[in-house]
Amino acid sequence: MNIYLENVIKEYEGKRIVHIDELHIKNGALYGFVGPNGAGKSTLIKMIAGLEPLNSGNIYYGHKPKSNPPFEIMTLVFQKPYLLRTTVEKNILYPLRLRGWTEKAMEERVTELLKDMGLSEFRNQKSWKLSGGETQKVALARAMSFRPKLLLLDEPTANIDPSTIAIIEKMLRKANQEEKTTVIIITHNLQQAKRLCSDLVFMHRGNAVEHGDVEKVLNHPTHSLTQRFIEGELIVD
Amino acid sequence: MGEIILGIEEAFLLLISFNKEIYGIILLSLYVSLASTFFSTIIAVPIGTALGMRNFKGKGILIRLIYTFMSLPPVIAGLFVFLVIMRKGPLGHLRLSFTPTAMILAQICIVVPIIVGLTYNGVKEKGNTIRDLGKTLGANNRQTLFLLIYEMRIIILAAVIAGFGRAVSEVGAVMIVGGNIKGHTRVMTTYIAMLQNMGDYSKAIAVGIVLLALSFLINGILFNLQQR
Ligand SMILES: Nc1ncnc2c1ncn2[C@@H]1O[C@H](COP(=O)(O)OP(=O)(O)OP(=O)(O)O)[C@@H](O)[C@H]1O
Ligand SMILES: [Mg+2]
């Protein structure tokens, strides 16, 4: 899904948190949003997800000028995902039930996702008994279940072990390549961005300071802030 | 001590005697408390949910009032309902004085604030998370509301348990609006108070034990539901 941001401004208590003049998220790309703590990444992704109202500006989804967030075909995985107080299976089924899938189609989809995620043995496990990494994978499976056109992820691999990170990255790649899902992932791990993403947006104090091809941004940053961030100097804003 | 042992013995005898009067009293107690809890739940859960989700002017004061009413003395609720339904009161023409319906009304006044307050607290804590989750998964407003209530089921049941506990144990309100009329509005708590007054301690203890046992049973059922 193409997304166009135009003069997007978000303020909290009079303080400007996000200010993006212009940004085009290309259909079918896999974006990494990076930047120091407090740069406004989470706020921006929530605005794209339609959860936070803008103070001014516009976000267009698909083709301009249609601008209502298309909730049926996009989703966001929070950094600390909330699972419903029920089994793993029912969590993953929930978006499919909302969309009126047949029992057979749901059964197939859940089985496939659980297998891909390495979660098959947890199918009937209660969600509150899962570990952090398992919770993250279930949330991702639930988000991917209905094959969204836009998948937004807020630091999905923070505090996750390397083997689970590998699974999550594999799933994101798969969704991006096989389902043509546009993906935006917030990450603090530049190695991950390099492995996974096609495009990078570097944020600083609410601005999208730099964006473009991942190799280009990482190897030839045009902005000194980006340069310092990549060198590990600029960690906290 | 002797009275208590005698009471336990008598409780047992009372129950196996299938005494019509006793069973009538037990059933009426159950009917009044369950009905008031049921109607209170229907009234209070939507109010508590709305309060937890919405912001408006004067909300802070309203919440403090509700918290205060959570510990409303039953006699005051009884007095209030009594004044409303008495012959010359605004609802006097309905002739509700000294009926089980009046007792249910009085208990609703006591139980509603409890369930509203506890539901509000739970929704305040989880409501926004669940609203956002519903949106991200594609639920419409109605579906998100159902999702919220589903996720709140444990807290709501806890509120219902607290409300029922309060209803079944109170004596002040049912005494004032019901009047402890034999065979008509006599419930376990008013019966115990009367027996104590007449010096029939062992029987009072016997009814008390039955009341506790029933409370335990009903809470057990609700607790089981909660664990699902
Ligand atoms: N609801 C809010 N009210 C007031 N300020 C907020 C609110 N939400 C976020 N902020 C502020 O907005 C700024 C950006 O926050 P945001 O969470 O978007 O940063 P971030 O880039 O995701 O940082 P991190 O890498 O630490 O997750 C922060 O300074 C934060 O304190
Ligand atoms: Mg963040």
Side-chain angles (χ1 to χ4, degrees):
Chain A
M1 190 193 314
N2 280 297
I3 305 164
Y4 304 90
L5 288 86
E6 269 177 19
N7 303 316
V8 169
I9 290 178
K10 178 72 187 178
E11 289 173 350
Y12 282 123
E13 290 131 27
K15 210 176 135 221
R16 192 160 288 192
I17 302 295
V18 172
H19 182 181
I20 303 216
D21 290 332
E22 211 180 348
L23 182 65
H24 172 203
I25 303 291
K26 292 175 291 185
N27 181 30
L30 208 165
Y31 274 81
F33 280 13
V34 297
N37 293 135
K41 305 179 296 294
S42 297
T43 308
L44 175 61
I45 213 169
K46 278 190 228 157
M47 287 194 286
I48 297 176
L51 302 178
E52 284 285 347
L54 324 183
N55 287 82
S56 65
N58 277 306
I59 300 179
Y60 300 103
Y61 303 85
H63 301 286
K64 294 189 197 184
K66 210 181 135 220
S67 68
N68 281 342
F71 290 112
E72 339 72 63
I73 54 168
M74 67 179 202
T75 191
L76 165 68
V77 181
F78 295 90
Q79 183 176 343
K80 293 206 181 72
Y82 181 90
L83 296 184
L84 302 176
R85 250 194 99 79
T86 177
T87 61
V88 166
E89 176 179 32
K90 293 209 172 102
N91 264 280
I92 300 175
L93 281 179
Y94 180 71
L96 305 182
R97 288 203 193 289
L98 290 179
R99 288 163 179 78
W101 284 36
T102 65
E103 288 296 327
K104 186 162 166 288
M106 289 197 292
E107 162 67 28
E108 279 173 18
R109 185 65 177 147
V110 170
T111 307
E112 180 195 357
L113 280 167
L114 288 173
K115 189 162 156 279
D116 286 350
M117 293 276 184
L119 286 171
S120 297
E121 58 178 310
F122 296 104
R123 188 172 189 135
N124 296 310
Q125 179 74 284
K126 300 279 195 242
S127 65
W128 60 92
K129 293 181 180 163
L130 299 172
S131 76
E134 289 153 9
T135 301
Q136 190 63 253
K137 285 197 286 184
V138 173
L140 182 60
R142 180 176 65 187
M144 290 175 59
S145 64
F146 61 97
R147 300 191 173 92
K149 288 284 152 238
L150 174 64
L151 179 57
L152 308 163
L153 307 119
D154 195 346
E155 299 192 40
T157 57
N159 301 312
I160 302 288
D161 78 48
S163 66
T164 306
I165 291 181
I167 294 176
I168 291 176
E169 288 182 5
K170 178 192 78 183
M171 293 305 288
L172 295 180
R173 228 174 257 126
K174 188 175 170 188
N176 181 246
Q177 284 163 10
E178 292 176 15
E179 328 262 6
K180 303 288 170 244
T181 302
T182 307
V183 180
I184 300 177
I185 171 174
I186 295 178
T187 179
H188 286 288
N189 182 340
L190 293 180
Q191 291 308 315
Q192 178 175 55
K194 211 169 183 172
R195 282 196 300 272
L196 195 59
C197 302
S198 63
D199 292 80
L200 213 54
V201 175
F202 173 66
M203 283 192 70
H204 183 257
R205 295 204 182 176
N207 297 294
V209 174
E210 185 150 340
H211 56 91
D213 184 82
V214 68
E215 294 289 336
K216 199 193 107 224
V217 173
L218 287 177
N219 296 331
H220 311 286
T222 55
H223 209 292
S224 66
L225 284 167
T226 325
Q227 179 75 41
R228 280 172 57 204
F229 182 76
I230 292 167
E231 284 165 2
E233 255 181 73
L234 186 67
I235 310 291
V236 181
D237 189 40
Chain B
M1 209 37 217
E3 295 286 0
I4 295 177
I5 293 169
L6 249 163
I8 294 172
E9 241 179 71
E10 195 158 337
F12 188 68
L13 290 174
L14 213 58
L15 280 178
I16 58 167
S17 73
F18 292 102
N19 178 314
K20 250 199 178 146
E21 189 193 349
I22 284 290
Y23 275 87
I25 291 172
I26 293 174
L27 282 180
L28 185 66
S29 268
L30 280 181
Y31 165 69
V32 169
S33 309
L34 285 174
S36 61
T37 308
F38 174 75
F39 289 115
S40 299
T41 303
I42 290 178
I43 298 165
V45 169
I47 296 176
T49 306
L51 280 176
M53 297 301 294
R54 287 181 204 285
N55 284 317
F56 50 87
K57 235 180 123 195
K59 180 169 159 178
I61 291 177
L62 186 61
I63 300 298
R64 278 182 204 109
L65 272 175
I66 288 168
Y67 283 166
T68 308
F69 276 87
M70 283 174 81
S71 45
L72 180 69
V75 273
I76 297 184
L79 186 64
F80 170 73
V81 172
F82 176 83
L83 293 174
V84 170
I85 62 175
M86 69 179 193
R87 192 81 66 80
K88 284 183 240 150
L91 294 181
H93 59 283
L94 296 177
R95 301 197 174 278
L96 290 174
S97 293
F98 307 112
T99 64
T101 307
M103 295 154 77
I104 293 171
L105 284 177
Q107 288 196 342
I108 287 175
C109 296
I110 302 167
V111 176
V112 161
I114 293 175
I115 301 184
V116 169
L118 295 177
T119 305
Y120 160 76
N121 251 307
V123 171
K124 186 180 59 168
E125 208 174 296
K126 267 194 183 177
N128 287 332
T129 307
I130 293 168
R131 177 173 51 194
D132 282 355
L133 179 73
K135 263 190 186 173
T136 61
L137 297 180
N140 61 29
N141 286 343
R142 193 177 49 86
Q143 289 162 332
T144 300
L145 185 66
F146 281 128
L147 187 67
L148 180 62
I149 290 174
Y150 177 75
E151 281 303 297
M152 297 292 305
R153 65 198 185 279
I154 291 184
I155 288 163
I156 290 173
L157 265 171
V160 171
I161 289 172
F164 173 76
R166 178 83 177 195
V168 79
S169 61
E170 70 87 19
V171 46
V174 283
M175 185 70 102
I176 291 186
V177 299
N180 191 34
I181 301 166
K182 187 179 174 185
H184 183 46
T185 60
R186 180 164 295 169
V187 289
M188 282 189 274
T189 51
T190 53
Y191 191 38
I192 291 171
M194 187 191 85
L195 288 169
Q196 186 272 339
N197 230 338
M198 301 187 334
D200 195 346
Y201 302 129
S202 56
K203 200 163 188 186
I205 290 169
V207 178
I209 289 169
V210 173
L211 177 58
L212 279 176
L214 269 174
S215 231
F216 183 76
L217 194 76
I218 297 207
N219 280 312
I221 294 170
L222 289 172
F223 182 77
N224 251 328
L225 279 174
Q226 202 189 34
Q227 295 306 302
R228 296 260 165 109

